[in-house]
């Protein structure tokens, strides 16, 4: 009997995932859980010794990460040594710091400042793995890559890997205010505890830097683009400097968002006119003051003349005048200006989708050589689906930086599962035809117009929640952003698979199921929120939940009705020549494809065309029927995610499993809400019955219009 009980206990324990303690998501994709027996055997004679060549803070960070990672995964201590003395050693450093590495005569030159090489070699008669680079930061990136091989259960013998980032600036933009409120943040307060800085160095700052370095992110804009001028006061600059010191060993530069009117607010000047000598002198002195504290300061990010922010147009100057004035102040120190093209004017009745192009295209070639123009992926505002921004390909003389939104302002906040890797890949792979076929957005941003200035920015989804991002699955979006920033042509599926292995489990069933869930998750959101090219149908202000009927806001383009244009005849925004002609901002082959009803992909139909409810889709069904099917497909897809997730219960630690189960329930409820509210509204216009097999919304339109979500986070 006792034996039987023991047997039952052992059998039950074998079913419980082999995590030593309940997981809470803090460790992100750097969990370094013990590998299973099969891999422990395979790695038995590898990674026996860690040999650091050099002693900089960055090399020390690499050593510490390797010992943490190898120790965790192999479940044994890994000796450190100053020279290779055993088979299975891991030697890492640069040829400048190690005669042993120099003697290997490795082909490092093409890898630049941040690339690395990992090779299985012989050192002093011992089998070893060398992780080498031209710089210490390259070595750290290589160390993370080596660990990833093991985290994703790859062989680590016979290695010959080399890699280098395709973009120079790989930056997270934190929309964090000085009171720690995060605009569009769904993961708690800002990580930056300004009140206790510069004295208190929360260890979390280092973990943030580790996570970023592990995926190659090399910049952080610390504060919101809706900037507060005070960040530029000496008191705050001391705090900024403390963060910069913590991040430096991990290759992360700090940047600041600046308020264009800071010379007035802080300097007591009467103007912020970029051509005024006193204003220019103020910024120059400010830049000097910053660099005295942060010698490797990255530069400024600027939102100007957009959504009420001050800017050069207040003085009848151009965006180029404004950007170049700041660029001149930063230039002697090697800093850059990231000038946002997210502009639309309250005085311009032009289609909002056209305004950024109209303002910026004429300025091509007029920006200083340390300015990048930062362009959102689509022409409106981080919608669940947008076509690529027409500025990509339209400014051949200006380095353009792609801006993505990692935080899910318009995709269900932290409680909806939406893997954004597929969405970003859609933009990156989009063919602008700017210089002939194959001129994808990825290739354009990698090019940098010969200036060497290339970059990508992601609006961060990080806060002080224990799991960093407010949900386990939103960690994947931080991870995917870093991976695509390193290589914009990487596969979204490959990235999802890597992340799943590192975050959840090595079990093939878990890896396959979660990867598949992620890969279809964003399309589900598109289907239940904004199918067939609809956009900006969200409720007012916080953007949570549906509001397709909203028409009472101060500016036309803030209202969902502006975008859906639903009436008794049909739905959609005519952006062809018969409408706003936004289509003309694209290269002719793109304009021809999107502009014709025969060739426009269904996913962009209502973005570019206003069509009757009875319009025949390529499938033969009517637009009305197709619309309803998409809403239902979205809801069903979420039910599918719930089922798939439930099937993983035996393999996922309880806390993380329960949280995601609850979040998927929320997502399902919200998807139904979106579906029912949207159908109720559009049916009030179309007056058509639902196609057979599709349920009527359970309530009337008034019911949905009355739903309010006060206190939604992130506003
Ligand atoms: C930081 C959208 C968001 C704003 C954001 C703005 C921007 O309008 O709703 O919160 O402001 O984009 O990107 O500047």
């Amino acid at each position: 009997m006792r034996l039987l009980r023991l047997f039952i206990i052992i059998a039950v324990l074998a079913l419980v995932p082999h995590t030593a303690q309940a997981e809470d998501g803090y460790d992100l994709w750097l969990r370094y859980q013990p590998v299973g027996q099969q891999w422990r055997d395979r790695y038995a004679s590898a990674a026996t010794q860690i040999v650091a060549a050099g002693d900089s803070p960055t090399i020390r960070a690499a050593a510490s990460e390797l010992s943490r990672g190898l120790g965790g995964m192999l479940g044994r201590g890994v000796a450190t040594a100053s020279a290779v003395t055993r088979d299975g050693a891991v030697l890492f450093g640069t040829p400048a710091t190690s005669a042993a590495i120099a003697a290997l005569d490795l082909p490092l030159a093409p890898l630049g400042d941040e690339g690395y090489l990992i090779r299985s070699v012989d050192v002093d008669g011992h089998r070893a793995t060398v992780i080498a680079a031209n710089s210490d930061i390259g070595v750290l990136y290589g160390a993370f890559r080596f660990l990833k091989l093991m985290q994703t259960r790859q062989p680590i013998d016979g290695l010959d890997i080399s890699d280098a980032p395709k973009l120079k600036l790989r930056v997270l933009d934190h929309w964090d205010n000085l009171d720690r409120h995060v605009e569009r943040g769904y993961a708690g307060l800002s990580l930056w505890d300004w009140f206790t800085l510069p004295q208190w160095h929360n260890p979390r700052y280092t973990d943030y830097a580790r996570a970023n370095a592990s995926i190659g992110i090399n910049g952080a804009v610390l504060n919101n683009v809706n900037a507060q001028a005070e960040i530029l006061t000496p008191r705050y600059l001391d705090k900024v400097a403390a963060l910069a010191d913590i991040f430096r060993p991990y290759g992360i530069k700090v940047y600041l968002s600046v308020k264009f009117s800071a010379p007035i607010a802080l300097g007591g000047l009467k103007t912020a006119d970029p051509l005024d000598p006193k204003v220019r002198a103020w910024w120059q002195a400010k830049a000097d003051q910053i660099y005295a504290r942060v010698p490797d300061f990255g530069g400024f990010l600027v939102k100007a003349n957009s959504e009420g922010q001050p800017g050069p147009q207040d003085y009848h100057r151009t965006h180029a005048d404004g950007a170049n004035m700041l660029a001149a102040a930063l230039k002697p120190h090697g800093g850059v200006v990231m000038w946002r093209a997210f502009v639309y004017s309250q005085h311009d009745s032009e289609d909002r989708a056209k305004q950024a192009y109209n303002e910026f295209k004429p300025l091509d070639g007029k920006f200083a050589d340390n300015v990048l123009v930062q362009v959102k992926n689509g022409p409106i505002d981080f919608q669940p689906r947008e076509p690529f921004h027409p500025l990509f390909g339209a400014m051949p003389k200006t380095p353009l930086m792609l801006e993505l939104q990692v935080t899910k302002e318009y995709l269900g906040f932290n409680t909806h599962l939406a893997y954004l890797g597929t969405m970003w890949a859609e933009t990156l792979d989009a063919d602008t035809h700017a210089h002939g076929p194959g001129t994808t957005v990825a290739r354009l941003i990698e090019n940098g117009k010969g200036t060497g200035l290339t970059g990508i920015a992601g609006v961060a989804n990080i806060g002080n929640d224990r799991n960093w991002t407010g949900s386990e699955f939103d960690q994947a979006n931080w991870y995917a952003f870093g991976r695509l920033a390193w290589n914009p042509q990487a596969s979204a599926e490959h990235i999802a698979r890597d992340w799943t292995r590192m975050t959840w489990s090595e079990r093939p069933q878990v890896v396959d199921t979660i990867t598949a869930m992620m890969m279809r998750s964003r399309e589900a959101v598109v289907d239940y929120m904004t199918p067939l090219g609809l956009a900006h149908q969200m409720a007012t202000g916080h953007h949570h939940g549906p509001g397709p009927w909203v028409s009472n806001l101060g500016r036309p383009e803030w209202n969902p009705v502006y975008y859906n244009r639903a009436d008794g005849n049909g739905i959609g925004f005519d952006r062809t020549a018969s409408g706003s002609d936004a289509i003309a901002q694209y290269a002719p082959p793109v304009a021809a494809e999107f502009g014709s009803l025969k060739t426009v992909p269904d996913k962009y139909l209502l973005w570019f065309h206003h069509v009757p409810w009875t319009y025949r889709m390529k499938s033969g069904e009517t637009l009305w029927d197709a619309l309803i099917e998409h809403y239902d497909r979205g809801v069903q897809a979420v039910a599918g995610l719930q089922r798939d997730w439930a099937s993983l219960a035996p393999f996922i630690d309880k806390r993380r499993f329960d949280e995601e189960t609850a979040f998927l329930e929320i997502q399902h409820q919200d998807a139904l809400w979106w579906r029912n509210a949207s159908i109720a509204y559009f049916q009030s216009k179309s007056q058509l019955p639902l196609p057979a097999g599709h349920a009527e919304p359970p309530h009337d339109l008034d019911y949905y219009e009355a739903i309010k979500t006060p206190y939604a986070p992130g506003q």
Side-chain angles (χ1 to χ4, degrees):
M1 192 60 193
R2 204 180 276 164
L3 254 180
L4 179 67
R5 203 176 303 146
L6 190 67
F7 175 76
I8 293 172
I9 292 173
I10 292 171
V12 167
L13 282 178
L15 281 178
V16 173
H18 47 256
T19 44
Q21 58 190 43
E23 297 206 40
D24 56 14
Y26 183 85
D27 291 335
L28 296 161
W29 49 88
L30 301 175
R31 292 160 59 247
Y32 304 133
Q33 291 292 303
V35 300
Q37 188 59 47
Q38 181 208 349
W39 285 98
R40 205 161 30 241
D41 294 346
R42 284 194 72 167
Y43 294 151
S45 60
T48 54
Q49 185 179 52
I50 298 172
V51 184
D55 188 31
S56 69
T58 302
I59 293 294
R60 283 200 293 277
S64 135
E65 199 68 33
L66 284 168
S67 62
R68 178 200 291 245
L70 296 176
M73 286 189 282
L74 300 176
R76 57 171 158 85
V78 181
T80 53
S82 54
V84 173
T85 58
R86 296 184 191 171
D87 278 351
V90 180
L91 166 67
F92 54 98
T94 67
T97 54
S98 160
I101 293 179
L104 292 168
D105 196 20
L106 300 165
L108 296 176
L111 300 177
D113 287 347
E114 295 179 297
Y116 57 80
L117 182 146
I118 307 176
R119 210 178 251 195
S120 302
V121 289
D122 244 57
V123 179
D124 298 334
H126 295 287
R127 225 176 0 87
T129 304
V130 66
I131 303 173
N134 296 313
S135 65
D136 289 354
I137 189 62
V139 175
L140 180 63
Y141 291 154
F144 276 113
R145 175 70 178 272
F146 180 68
L147 289 167
K148 177 158 84 79
L149 291 173
M150 295 174 71
Q151 290 174 282
T152 55
R153 311 296 185 256
Q154 309 288 315
I156 51 170
D157 42 13
L159 294 178
D160 187 6
I161 296 173
S162 58
D163 203 2
K166 293 218 167 74
L167 300 177
K168 193 172 148 111
L169 310 181
R170 307 177 297 278
V171 181
L172 279 178
D173 289 358
H174 290 266
W175 285 358
D176 295 15
N177 294 336
L178 301 182
D179 64 0
R180 299 190 74 185
H181 172 76
V182 181
E183 182 158 346
R184 310 310 177 184
Y186 314 106
L189 297 176
S190 169
L191 271 189
W192 326 131
D193 186 357
W194 295 110
F195 199 65
T196 58
L197 282 164
Q199 289 88 352
W200 168 231
H201 297 180
N202 188 329
R204 219 170 163 166
Y205 301 148
T206 305
D207 286 335
Y208 163 85
R210 285 177 51 232
N212 278 334
S214 76
I215 45 178
I217 288 171
N218 67 358
V221 181
L222 299 177
N223 60 320
N224 191 353
V225 285
N226 290 328
Q228 291 151 307
E230 291 85 347
I231 191 74
L232 293 175
T233 56
R235 179 159 174 248
Y236 275 94
L237 292 178
D238 287 342
K239 299 169 193 279
V240 168
L243 289 175
D245 290 343
I246 297 169
F247 299 162
R248 189 167 298 112
Y250 297 88
I252 299 165
K253 286 187 178 183
V254 298
Y255 299 75
L256 293 176
S257 295
V258 296
K259 199 170 191 77
F260 200 78
S261 55
I264 303 173
L266 303 180
L269 299 187
K270 294 216 158 39
T271 174
D273 180 349
L275 299 192
D276 183 295
K278 285 205 192 89
V279 172
R280 299 176 77 84
W282 187 88
W283 280 109
Q284 185 62 68
K286 188 50 73 183
D288 296 346
Q289 198 178 52
I290 295 172
Y291 280 91
R293 287 169 172 77
V294 187
D296 56 353
F297 179 68
F300 295 146
L301 171 65
V302 192
K303 171 173 178 177
N305 293 120
S306 164
E307 299 188 329
Q309 292 298 323
Q313 292 177 340
D314 302 348
Y315 308 96
H316 308 290
R317 311 294 185 197
T318 68
H319 285 286
D321 293 330
N324 293 347
M325 183 259 303
L326 295 174
L330 295 166
K331 177 93 177 171
H333 305 284
V336 300
V337 172
M338 299 174 290
W339 190 271
R340 297 179 87 225
F342 177 68
V343 296
Y344 58 97
S345 159
Q346 63 200 95
H347 310 295
D348 193 347
S349 58
E350 183 58 279
D351 176 3
R352 174 171 165 187
K354 292 177 72 177
Q355 293 187 26
Y357 177 103
N358 287 349
E359 278 196 46
F360 277 83
K361 165 115 182 111
L363 299 176
D364 190 25
K366 300 214 159 72
F367 289 95
D369 62 5
N370 56 336
V371 176
L372 297 108
V373 172
Q374 187 166 304
V375 182
K376 288 188 181 181
N377 57 296
I380 298 291
D381 189 14
F382 298 138
Q383 294 304 297
R385 170 164 279 131
E386 296 191 35
F388 71 87
H389 201 299
L391 274 174
F392 290 110
M395 296 186 69
K397 299 188 202 124
T398 310
L400 298 189
M401 187 167 175
L402 173 62
E403 180 176 324
L404 303 170
Q405 195 179 44
V406 187
T407 190
K408 303 206 312 293
E409 173 183 356
Y410 294 101
L411 286 104
F413 297 6
N414 59 320
T415 49
H416 291 206
L417 198 171
Y419 170 55
L420 303 181
T422 49
M423 175 163 114
W424 300 330
E426 189 171 285
T427 301
L428 288 161
D429 295 344
D431 193 348
T432 68
H433 285 265
H435 313 297
T439 321
T440 61
V441 172
R443 289 183 55 191
L444 278 169
I445 61 168
E446 284 170 21
N447 177 314
K449 315 291 158 15
T451 59
L453 255 196
T454 57
I456 189 165
V459 180
N461 61 352
I462 302 162
N464 74 343
D465 272 8
R466 181 71 191 157
N467 67 9
W468 301 87
T469 53
S471 87
E472 304 296 326
F473 273 93
D474 280 345
Q475 296 178 358
N477 292 327
W478 178 6
Y479 180 81
F481 170 72
R483 290 282 301 272
L484 287 168
W486 182 277
N487 176 9
Q489 298 182 48
S491 139
E493 176 161 9
H494 196 144
I495 294 170
R497 196 166 280 277
D498 280 351
W499 175 80
T500 302
R501 283 210 174 97
M502 294 191 280
T503 304
W504 297 106
S505 165
E506 67 188 272
R507 244 172 227 274
Q509 182 187 343
V510 175
V511 176
D512 291 345
T513 306
I514 292 185
T515 306
M517 288 169 66
M518 290 166 72
M519 290 304 289
R520 50 184 209 272
S521 58
R522 175 269 187 150
E523 199 61 40
V525 177
V526 172
D527 276 338
Y528 62 73
M529 286 190 186
T530 51
L532 295 173
L534 287 174
H536 223 304
Q537 298 301 290
M538 292 77 193
T540 304
H542 46 64
H543 298 153
H544 178 69
W549 47 80
V550 174
S551 63
N552 60 349
L553 303 178
R555 290 161 53 171
E557 71 284 347
W558 283 351
N559 291 297
V561 296
Y562 171 89
Y563 298 94
N564 66 48
R565 308 205 161 206
D567 55 25
N569 299 320
I571 180 170
F573 200 129
D574 183 2
R575 294 193 163 103
T576 67
S578 58
S580 78
D581 205 21
I583 206 94
Q585 294 182 338
Y586 290 95
V590 180
E593 184 195 355
F594 293 165
S596 156
L597 279 171
K598 287 207 181 65
T599 51
V600 64
D602 284 355
K603 62 185 180 187
Y604 298 135
L605 176 66
L606 304 179
W607 185 283
F608 289 111
H609 300 271
H610 185 86
V611 291
W613 297 107
T614 51
Y615 170 77
R616 286 275 158 208
M617 305 288 290
K618 292 186 200 82
S619 63
E621 62 192 340
T622 65
L623 179 267
W624 172 246
D625 287 2
L627 195 63
I628 306 302
E629 266 163 31
H630 274 275
Y631 285 120
D632 274 327
R633 196 181 299 167
V635 177
Q636 282 153 16
V638 179
L641 295 178
Q642 289 181 290
R643 276 194 303 278
D644 285 357
W645 184 249
S647 75
L648 301 179
F651 315 119
I652 306 279
D653 42 284
K654 184 166 163 35
R655 194 193 173 292
R656 293 192 301 167
F657 180 81
D658 287 351
E659 182 186 271
E660 190 52 34
T661 302
F663 283 8
L664 285 168
E665 262 169 50
I666 297 174
Q667 184 173 11
H668 190 250
Q669 263 170 26
D670 288 353
L672 266 173
W673 173 27
W674 265 98
R675 180 254 182 219
N676 290 329
S678 306
I679 292 179
Y681 176 67
F682 292 130
Q683 199 172 24
S684 77
K685 300 288 172 190
S686 77
Q687 300 294 326
L688 290 170
L690 295 196
H694 295 269
E696 292 289 340
H699 303 282
D700 63 15
L701 181 57
D702 291 346
Y703 171 90
Y704 297 109
E705 289 195 19
I707 297 176
K708 299 280 174 275
T709 317
Y711 318 119
Q715 207 179 337

